[in-house]
Amino acid sequence: MTAMSIGKAWEEAVAFVARERSLLFPVALLFVALPGLILQEMTPPELATWRMDKGAMPDIPASFMLSTLIGVIIIWFGSLALFALALRPGISVGEALRLSFSRLPVLLGTALVVIGVLLAIAIVGMMVVVAFSMVAKPIAAALVMLLLAGGGAVMLFASVRLLLLNPVVIDGNEGVMASLRHSWALTRGHFWRLFGFLLVLTLLSAIVGSAAQVIFGLVGRLVAGAEGARLVGGVAAAVVSTVVQVYMLVMIARLYRQAEAD
């Protein structure tokens, strides 16, 4: 097994984005940035300012939950289209969108399977906690903390091992379970390299997005006050973060090609 080359993937991504930016960025802005920005504007203020240390989560309107679900599906649809553009040279935007639409049910199916597995693990863990709480509450409290830490670790591990799931789904014609097995197999032996890649890109996206929000927010405040600062800053952060995401998705597509050739 040869090691994945993050550097090679970066070089190929830079060249590809420079060549195909007129196709990639409109799709990313329309199907990734815009839905995210709309959801941000729709988020209830009490939910946006809530933190776990403030107690119980405020009531979330059913309309917001439905809108969030639709927004996530649209973003996944846009991501699949971007992977189609990155993996199939010469494909048009229309062809990429049609291919994304046809493969979206498979991606949704994989999400349901993963969520179901994680929920099953959580339910079993909570049953253990309840059983211990009947015997010794301090032990049960310690188990809750271990479960929270363990749950986060499991989700992180699964997200890295399934990092190539989207390109697997859009590049092939496999079903739900076959796509999950395929993507899991492709990342075997590459966990730490992919984890480092995700960590760096996530931090970079957060840093440049926050910087854009602050800088453009100041401009918006000068023009239209506090509300202008919030809106302009949010738009700038969404656009900049989307640019980073485009490079990240193209890099993931190149890493997928490396794994397939291994």
Side-chain angles (χ1 to χ4, degrees):
M1 177 184 295
T2 57
M4 284 183 176
S5 175
I6 304 297
K8 180 181 178 182
W10 167 249
E11 292 173 359
E12 293 175 345
V14 169
F16 183 83
V17 173
R19 186 172 64 252
E20 304 292 347
R21 59 184 179 275
S22 61
L23 300 180
L24 295 168
F25 286 119
V27 173
L29 291 173
L30 183 59
F31 294 104
V32 178
L34 183 59
L37 186 61
I38 292 174
L39 288 178
Q40 177 181 308
E41 291 299 310
M42 292 178 61
T43 303
E46 60 274 13
L47 180 61
T49 58
W50 176 80
R51 298 196 312 267
M52 289 187 67
D53 58 359
K54 289 187 175 182
M57 180 182 292
D59 293 334
I60 303 175
S63 59
F64 176 71
M65 295 294 292
L66 178 60
S67 300
T68 300
L69 177 60
I70 294 173
V72 169
I73 292 175
I74 293 173
I75 291 172
W76 286 354
F77 167 76
S79 298
L80 283 179
L82 289 171
F83 277 115
L85 291 169
L87 290 169
R88 303 194 175 191
I91 191 174
S92 68
V93 170
E95 290 170 333
L97 293 175
R98 287 191 292 272
L99 179 60
S100 174
F101 185 78
S102 68
R103 297 296 291 166
L104 182 60
V106 176
L107 184 62
L108 295 177
T110 61
L112 290 176
V113 170
V114 172
I115 291 172
V117 171
L118 293 177
L119 282 177
I121 294 173
I123 290 172
V124 171
M126 291 309 299
M127 289 175 64
V128 173
V129 170
V130 171
F132 272 97
S133 66
M134 297 178 181
V135 179
K137 289 186 178 180
I139 296 178
L143 282 175
V144 170
M145 298 302 295
L146 286 174
L147 282 174
L148 290 174
V154 169
M155 292 179 65
L156 176 62
F157 180 76
S159 65
V160 174
R161 288 300 306 271
L162 294 175
L163 181 63
L164 303 182
L165 178 60
N166 282 34
V168 165
V169 169
I170 200 67
D171 195 44
N173 54 9
E174 298 172 321
V176 171
M177 298 308 297
S179 295
L180 285 169
R181 287 192 295 268
H182 188 178
S183 60
W184 191 270
L186 288 177
T187 57
R188 185 177 295 117
H190 301 297
F191 175 83
W192 290 111
R193 187 174 295 272
L194 293 175
F195 171 74
F197 163 73
L198 270 184
L199 180 62
V200 170
L201 265 295
T202 301
L203 290 175
L204 177 62
S205 179
I207 291 171
V208 298
S210 298
Q213 187 168 19
V214 171
I215 294 171
F216 285 91
L218 291 174
V219 175
R221 182 179 294 275
L222 292 175
V223 175
E227 186 61 25
R230 185 187 63 81
L231 181 59
V232 174
V235 171
V239 171
V240 172
S241 296
T242 299
V243 172
V244 176
Q245 288 179 49
V246 167
Y247 281 94
M248 182 179 71
L249 292 181
V250 176
M251 285 187 70
I252 291 174
R254 304 321 306 163
L255 292 172
Y256 162 74
R257 285 291 184 229
Q258 290 183 29
E260 280 284 289
D262 189 1

